Amino acid sequence: MDENVQKAVDLILYSEYTIAFTGAGISVESGIPPFRGENGLWSKYDPNALDLGNFHLNPVEAWKVIKEIFYDFFGEAKPNDAHLVLAELEKQGLVKAIITQNIDNLHYDAGSREVYEFHGNSRMLVCPYCDKKVVAEETDLNYIPLCDKCHAVLKPDFIFFGEGIPEEAYKKSVEAAQKADLVIIIGSTGEVVPAASIPPFAKQNGAKVIEINPEESSFTGSITDIFLKGKATEVMKEILNGIKQKI
Ligand code: NAD
């Protein structure tokens, strides 16, 4: 086993409160590209669809794009081995919580339960006026979804550009980062704020940091203790094998 993977396994086994911090990269091998970069979603779609002002002005146009990306396309995606290993580690008590920037529901689908969705999720639709929520899967998105109480156009329950972080997820993420003695960062550039401030906050509170990414990120040279260069699924499977050999 690679020496750094070995060190990561030991850290996971001997830490008291390990959290994972995940970004778009963990879902790449489920077929969901990140937003930015050469093959990113924004090379194909107009990010204006997620601008709140634009959404209210042109809900029909915005919903066309939102449905295609977040329901037709994301809807096909299944959790990959990296999501599944995290869920397994949670069952074994080796991961206490996952803070995710993703809105694709794949941690829940994989079986993880303590998941703090920093940017919300696409599972629910919410009325921007009365806050009533409905399950997206139970809604016919071939029509513009309307609130049955106040008839406003529903929006996905993830944050659009310029919207605040959901209060509960923010509070739980900060609490978890305070308690953590180990953070496993998977597939995040660390460029989206305020999410990117969570791992450094944990580090300030004494946590060690393992990072998994095929490329270096803004965390790598600053807070990362062990950098495991590679794809999330491959590295997470190596880690699980390493853990199985030791327990
Ligand atoms: P990002 O798009 O900024 O960066 C993705 C990172 O993943 C990069 O560092 C890249 O090197 C890495 N990566 C690529 N392939 C990987 C793999 N196979 N294994 C591990 N890492 C891999 O991602 P971000 O920092 O999460 O920020 C983007 C924002 O876009 C977030 O706010 C997120 O909510 C949102 N987003 C979410 C999804 C989703 O829900 N799946 C998809 C696209 C964007």
Side-chain angles (χ1 to χ4, degrees), residues 3 29 31 60 65 67 83 87 89 105 108-109 118 131 142 168 170 184 187 190 192 200 229 245-246:
E3 193 190 331
E29 292 164 88
V60 176
V65 179
K67 175 178 179 290
H83 298 104
L89 294 181
N105 314 316
Y108 277 117
D109 293 349
F118 210 81
D131 282 336
N142 291 310
E168 181 77 359
Y170 183 81
I184 308 173
V192 178
K229 188 175 168 66
Q245 283 169 25
K246 292 223 166 181

Side-chain angles (χ1 to χ4, degrees), residues 59-64 139-147 152-154:
V60 176
E61 282 307 304
W63 255 108
K64 251 189 225 162
T139 308
D140 184 354
L141 295 179
N142 291 310
Y143 303 94
I144 299 289
L146 298 178
C147 175
V153 176
L154 298 175

